[in-house]
Amino acid sequence: MTAISTNPDELDDATAIDELDRRFHQMRAASGEQNTPTLDQRREDLTALAGAMFGFRKQIQEALAADFAVHPTQLTDLTEVLGVAGQAQYVASQLEEWAAPQQRFVDPQSFGTATAEIQYQPKGIVGVLSPWNFPFLLSLGPLVDILAAGNRAILKPSELAPASSMVLADIVSSTFDSDRVAVVTGGVALARRFAELRWDHLLYTGNATVGRQVAVAAAQNLVPVTLELGGKNPVIVHSDSVNEETVAQIIGNKLAKNGQICIAPDYCLVPRSQLEEFIELSISHTFTTMPDYGTSPDCTGIINERHLRRLTGALDEARQRGVKVVDLKPNVEIDPATRQMPLTLVVDPPEDLAVMNEEIFGPILPIKPYDTIDEAVGYINSHDKPLGLYIFTRDSHAAQTILDRTASGGACINTCAVQGVLPSLGFGGVGSSGYGRHRGVEGFREFSNQRGVVTRGTGDTTAAFFPPYSGHAQQIVDAVFGETAG
Ligand code: NAD
């Protein structure tokens, strides 16, 4: 006998799973004849998406404010509205060049006048599982690449940002035919089912634990997967750059969205002899530029109580262990209604603390002293390869040397996180921060079947590969290796 759930979330998910299956099969039927959209159609899709971002601007702002309790409207405009619209416009302007077949070298001695090229063909139907932190940018951003490559898509946004998910569904249903792009909303049961479908490509953005589960589910159907994961992004501050500008860049990037960005600086490696100077600069920067940070509308709320408890718990642990904790906004009681958490520095924490062995994803900045650049590089290399790596120095040779000796999905010199906002630059992780790319020509190619096509000409040696091999094949072998001794 099948158990019937009385949990309303599970019942909702059961309905959502039926809806997902129905939409998936509808899309599969519509895509059955390889009716590849023309480049003009794709550009129309991208232009429509850009227009929708402007049209839905107010709803997007309200949804993010509802999901995060507090979300600066300017940040919403810059990242979610303009981020998606700008990417769509940029990709539309590049599409002709990116989609053009790429001629490849053919050795005339072997293949005569044959030609060879890579043709870019849509993969088909792409599934997108996206997280709560940028509910529009991380679903509709990849959709830009997916549509540019001529695919269809079903998006499953995060259950942790329900107001944004509803607006996302409205944007998509008012902009695209339902057999081209659709949104399904629901919880973890729906997300699990989503990962089990026979997609032509699956994109998952989120944490590594679920990322592994998604990759395993997709492997059952040999579905290719792009995993956009997180991790701890290090910052190396060189001794020549402990100054106000460096601190403004690091703290500013940490506090955009209150640290809830996958490419935010996670921790800082600072020369031991300049540790106090760095801390003083951080304090004075925060007090002068953001005296009311923690209560002002510029301070994004932490997404939910569970994450707030996780972050305050990590600070409590550091305090209990006697680690120096610098409150940059002392004596602020966090209002549970706004979940606005001020920035805190944790100085030289031991490795077994949560702030050093888990991704922080919030307004806590551990500062770890180092004595030599070799030691700082060694520390980074003894941990998982990060999504982002940031180097602050005036010495370009020193910066390149650090880049050469480390690996990360992306990197910046003298800033942080900008590698994740340029629509021209492929974005993604390496090792445990993920694999595959979206954005840029890399994103277009990720969602394309990069098909190698050869057209035979004249004067080739193809027949040499066919049996019997005593004739032409033997002549070639003899010409290259010398006549075989009797
Ligand atoms: P989340 O909890 O919103 O989950 C992301 C998606 O996974 C959601 O759509 C959810 O429904 C789905 N999901 C949940 N459980 C699932 C399961 N068992 N099977 C399949 N799908 C499931 O997001 P999160 O994981 O809390 O996001 C934060 C993490 O994401 C951080 O680690 C952050 O660094 C990372 N992140 C990475 C990027 C990037 O581009 N590399 C961007 C943003 C966030």
Side-chain angles (χ1 to χ4, degrees):
M1 205 175 108
T2 317
I4 297 175
S5 172
T6 50
N7 178 337
D9 288 346
E10 284 179 26
L11 289 175
D12 283 355
D13 267 4
T15 314
I17 287 169
D18 288 347
E19 171 73 1
L20 168 64
D21 288 348
R22 192 181 65 75
R23 288 201 178 275
F24 182 79
H25 290 116
Q26 182 194 13
M27 249 183 222
R28 187 57 85 204
S31 67
E33 293 163 25
Q34 279 298 347
N35 45 358
T36 303
T38 63
L39 294 191
D40 279 342
Q41 286 168 323
R42 298 183 209 184
R43 272 188 289 260
E44 275 172 30
D45 283 344
L46 296 176
T47 307
L49 180 58
M53 298 314 289
F54 289 102
F56 278 86
R57 179 177 166 226
K58 279 276 164 260
Q59 291 94 317
I60 293 171
Q61 289 176 349
E62 285 163 12
L64 282 158
D67 287 332
F68 284 82
V70 180
H71 196 282
T73 51
Q74 298 89 337
L75 185 67
T76 305
D77 281 344
L78 291 175
T79 56
E80 305 272 12
V81 177
L82 294 176
V84 175
Q87 190 184 343
Q89 286 160 347
Y90 174 75
V91 171
S93 75
Q94 301 299 305
L95 192 54
E96 192 88 40
E97 187 185 325
W98 291 356
Q102 283 209 342
Q103 302 301 315
R104 294 295 163 93
F105 171 72
V106 181
D107 181 0
Q109 269 203 317
S110 301
F111 297 103
T113 61
T115 57
E117 62 187 21
I118 297 289
Q119 294 181 4
Y120 298 99
Q121 185 179 45
K123 280 192 169 175
I125 307 174
V126 181
V128 178
L129 281 164
S130 56
W132 51 266
N133 68 326
F134 285 97
F136 300 93
L137 185 66
L138 294 176
S139 53
L140 298 177
L143 181 67
V144 167
D145 302 336
I146 290 165
L147 291 175
N151 300 287
R152 296 161 198 270
I154 302 183
L155 317 179
K156 152 67 182 88
S158 174
E159 60 281 3
L160 300 190
S164 298
S165 298
M166 285 176 67
V167 175
L168 181 74
D170 288 346
I171 293 174
V172 164
S173 64
S174 67
T175 312
F176 301 105
D177 291 340
S178 62
D179 65 4
R180 176 149 298 281
V181 188
V183 173
V184 290
T185 56
V188 172
L190 174 68
R192 285 211 182 96
R193 170 69 186 154
F194 198 93
E196 288 166 359
L197 290 179
R198 199 176 282 270
W199 303 101
D200 297 303
H201 194 106
L202 179 59
L203 165 66
Y204 166 81
T205 305
N207 67 76
T209 305
V210 172
R212 274 190 196 90
Q213 294 169 13
V214 167
V216 167
Q220 302 306 313
N221 294 316
L222 297 180
V223 168
V225 183
T226 303
L227 289 184
E228 297 282 355
L229 311 177
K232 293 183 79 64
N233 306 313
V235 181
I236 299 189
V237 182
H238 191 278
S239 57
D240 69 12
S241 291
V242 176
N243 56 42
E244 269 181 51
E245 183 54 30
T246 295
V247 165
Q249 283 291 321
I250 296 170
I251 292 196
N253 266 294
K254 184 75 175 177
L255 294 186
K257 208 129 184 168
N258 224 1
Q260 300 170 99
I261 302 184
C262 58
I263 44 178
D266 187 280
Y267 66 93
C268 272
L269 293 158
V270 175
R272 190 178 300 276
S273 60
Q274 292 162 291
L275 186 64
E276 286 310 317
E277 187 186 352
F278 187 88
I279 294 168
E280 284 308 318
L281 284 167
S282 303
I283 294 171
S284 67
H285 173 78
T286 312
F287 274 88
T288 46
T289 55
M290 296 169 284
D292 56 352
Y293 191 79
T295 50
S296 87
D298 292 336
C299 178
T300 306
I302 300 302
I303 185 69
N304 58 27
E305 281 171 25
R306 178 171 62 84
H307 278 285
L308 185 58
R309 275 199 306 277
R310 175 181 65 77
L311 290 163
T312 53
L315 283 179
D316 290 345
E317 183 194 27
R319 286 194 183 94
Q320 279 158 16
R321 290 281 297 277
V323 176
K324 180 173 172 183
V325 171
V326 182
D327 284 310
L328 294 182
K329 187 74 191 164
N331 308 321
V332 166
E333 280 290 314
I334 298 172
D335 180 349
T338 64
R339 302 188 297 274
Q340 288 175 296
M341 183 176 173
L343 176 64
T344 308
L345 310 180
V346 180
V347 183
D348 199 6
E351 284 304 297
D352 61 337
L353 287 194
V355 290
M356 287 318 284
N357 57 44
E358 288 170 16
E359 179 181 6
I360 292 174
F361 225 61
I364 301 173
L365 184 64
I367 303 179
K368 199 176 159 52
Y370 71 84
D371 291 308
T372 61
I373 288 285
D374 279 357
E375 182 193 335
V377 165
Y379 181 82
I380 291 169
N381 287 338
S382 66
H383 291 78
D384 287 340
K385 290 176 183 147
L387 187 59
L389 173 91
Y390 309 119
I391 304 163
F392 284 82
T393 179
R394 287 196 290 265
D395 180 344
S396 56
H397 177 71
Q400 190 57 51
T401 305
I402 293 171
L403 288 177
D404 291 345
R405 295 176 62 196
T406 55
S408 61
C412 295
I413 297 159
N414 295 327
T415 188
C416 310
V418 180
Q419 85 277 17
V421 298
L422 297 181
S424 58
L425 211 56
F427 177 78
V430 58
S432 58
S433 55
Y435 47 78
R437 291 288 180 272
H438 60 82
R439 287 173 185 259
V441 69
E442 291 78 10
F444 173 83
R445 291 180 182 164
E446 183 92 353
F447 299 113
S448 297
N449 176 30
Q450 302 178 46
R451 195 185 211 181
V453 178
V454 174
T455 305
R456 192 182 175 208
T458 56
D460 65 25
T461 59
T462 49
F465 293 86
F466 314 149
Y469 296 108
S470 50
H472 198 177
Q474 188 63 54
Q475 280 171 12
I476 295 172
V477 170
D478 288 346
V480 176
F481 298 103
E483 273 190 53
T484 343

